[in-house]
Amino acid sequence: MVPTSKRPRQPVVAVTGAASGLGRELLARLVSSADFRRVVAIDEERGDVREATWRVIDVRDPLLANRISDIDVIVHLAGDYAVDSDPRERRAYNLRAAQTVLTAAAAARVRRVVLVTSAMVYGAAPENDVPLPEDAAVAAEPDTGVVGDYLEIEALARRSLRSHPGLEVTVLRPAAVVGPGVDTVITRHFESPRLLTVKGCSPRWQFCHVDDLVSALELAARGVVTGVVGVGSDGWLEQEQVEELSGLRRFELPAGLTFGTAQRLHRLGITPAPATDLHYVVYPWVVDCARLREAGWKPSWTNEAAFRQLLELREKATTVVGRRLPVKEATLTAAGATVAVIGTAAIVRQVRRKRRQ
């Protein structure tokens, strides 16, 4: 008698940071999927996706391992990546959360952990290949910004793989993420009155819509893609296309003046992001999405469509080197041609007045 083949047991998947943002978007998708036996939502508060099994706990809690003993796959999306967060507090939270999830997953014999960092870890440089292959060297400069957090989290993942060989870790590296609720150094760049460029180099713009990141995360949770996975729209936009679509004109400066001024402003506490973050709006960091493409995945958003939505979602504010300005202050700085970097003189004066008081 020929034995009948049994269908593999469907996995139980958990999502951290499930009450809001990207975690909530993924959770809503997973609960309607037939590929998972149960979907568990982990967060400090209960969210509104009732079809999920909620477990209210801080992902930094060492007792997390006790709450995930029945889990096969964890998609870790709990994190603080707000541009205006205190850098030390943000990094402490993000690293503690990632470390706890990885350690708890190994202790609970979870089969797979899925992390999201960014294609920014490749670094943005004038000599970068366009596009960068997924196995390109991680060449970003460690700093106090969000990119530094991503580099540290990926280092934790590599150490976890060495310490726990039975644990599989998949890392998604999306291009510049856009969509409702997304606020980053990249999206704020397009709130500026002028687009900063560096003489002798033109950026290429690649975007990753939240919808496409969610669909890629589902494939990673299912194990369809593994390892390091680039995520983004096909191809890229040239600077001229971005200017035409946005109606914004470029403002060109020498590299030395651009980064030197930005670094001084950051040291004064005027701008939230380090000067190295400016690399990502003046130099290319387009990523090839070979693994997803080979798996049959196709982005639902083109770069042009994603960029158009970014423009529609812009806050009614003016941003100069990452810092949002009140309307009155924005009018002062936007009047001159130096608005992108050295036009922050009004902010400098304001900060100095406050410090003298």
Side-chain angles (χ1 to χ4, degrees):
M1 183 176 178
V2 179
T4 57
S5 60
K6 293 184 178 180
R7 183 180 177 183
R9 185 176 71 96
Q10 292 172 310
V12 177
V13 61
V15 179
T16 71
S20 61
L22 181 61
R24 196 264 176 205
E25 294 300 316
L26 177 63
L27 188 69
R29 184 181 181 102
L30 294 183
V31 294
S32 63
S33 171
D35 294 309
F36 300 99
R37 183 158 49 92
R38 189 165 75 257
V39 180
V40 175
I42 298 173
D43 210 320
E44 294 179 55
E45 59 182 23
R46 188 179 298 272
D48 62 355
V49 180
R50 297 181 179 180
E51 298 87 346
T53 300
W54 284 89
R55 295 177 184 172
V56 179
I57 185 173
D58 188 328
V59 292
R60 298 168 295 174
D61 192 327
L63 296 177
L64 180 65
N66 298 334
R67 308 294 300 274
I68 59 173
S69 58
D70 58 337
I71 303 299
D72 300 298
V73 182
I74 294 180
V75 183
H76 175 52
L77 299 176
D80 175 11
Y81 297 101
V83 177
D84 298 316
S85 291
D86 178 88
R88 292 182 181 178
E89 293 179 4
R90 186 199 65 234
R91 181 158 299 180
Y93 179 93
N94 290 336
L95 297 191
R96 178 69 180 273
Q99 178 68 75
T100 304
V101 167
L102 289 165
T103 302
R109 299 186 181 276
V110 172
R111 190 166 70 226
R112 181 183 310 115
V113 174
V114 179
L115 304 173
V116 176
T117 59
S118 171
M120 298 171 95
V121 299
Y122 293 111
E127 66 275 10
N128 272 354
D129 291 336
V130 180
L132 290 160
E134 287 165 311
D135 60 357
V138 171
E141 187 175 337
D143 56 30
T144 60
V146 170
V147 180
D149 294 14
Y150 291 140
L151 291 171
E152 293 279 3
I153 289 169
E154 291 207 6
L156 287 173
R158 289 191 295 272
R159 288 198 290 272
S160 183
L161 287 172
R162 291 193 296 268
S163 304
H164 311 290
L167 180 66
E168 178 185 309
V169 179
T170 299
V171 179
L172 268 60
R173 293 174 177 170
V177 178
V178 301
V182 176
D183 176 25
T184 67
V185 169
I186 305 301
T187 61
R188 288 191 181 191
H189 178 65
F190 295 100
E191 296 173 9
S192 300
R194 303 281 285 273
L195 298 180
L196 175 65
T197 60
V198 167
K199 286 184 178 179
C201 187
S202 182
R204 276 82 168 183
W205 294 96
Q206 182 189 31
F207 301 100
C208 175
H209 195 277
V210 168
D211 294 347
D212 290 327
L213 181 52
V214 167
S215 67
L217 280 167
E218 182 182 6
L219 291 181
R222 288 167 48 196
V224 175
V225 289
T226 59
V228 172
V229 182
V231 191
S233 297
D234 292 332
W236 59 88
L237 297 176
E238 298 288 345
Q239 178 69 14
E240 291 74 16
Q241 293 174 279
V242 163
E243 291 174 16
E244 182 179 353
L245 290 167
S246 66
L248 297 172
R249 295 169 58 194
R250 76 178 67 186
F251 174 62
E252 192 174 79
L253 286 174
L257 176 61
T258 299
F259 299 121
T261 304
Q263 186 59 39
R264 287 193 294 275
L265 294 175
H266 181 60
R267 282 201 301 267
L268 285 169
I270 296 168
T271 58
T276 47
D277 275 14
L278 274 181
H279 291 182
Y280 297 93
V281 300
V282 298
Y283 296 139
W285 51 290
V286 176
V287 64
D288 189 12
C289 307
R291 287 191 172 92
L292 281 170
R293 190 168 57 249
E294 290 165 3
W297 177 89
K298 292 182 179 180
S300 59
W301 288 75
T302 64
N303 282 303
E304 181 174 334
F307 182 55
R308 286 186 185 278
Q309 188 180 76
L310 185 161
L311 296 173
E312 292 170 1
L313 293 170
R314 283 183 299 185
E315 296 284 342
K316 292 181 180 179
T318 296
T319 295
V320 174
V321 283
R323 184 182 186 272
R324 285 201 174 122
L325 309 181
V327 174
K328 182 179 179 180
E329 198 173 73
T331 303
L332 292 173
T333 57
T338 56
V339 67
V341 174
I342 56 177
T344 52
I347 314 171
V348 175
R349 287 195 297 270
Q350 183 186 57
V351 170
R352 286 176 176 169
R353 282 197 300 269
K354 288 181 178 178
R355 288 181 176 178
R356 287 197 296 265
Q357 290 175 356

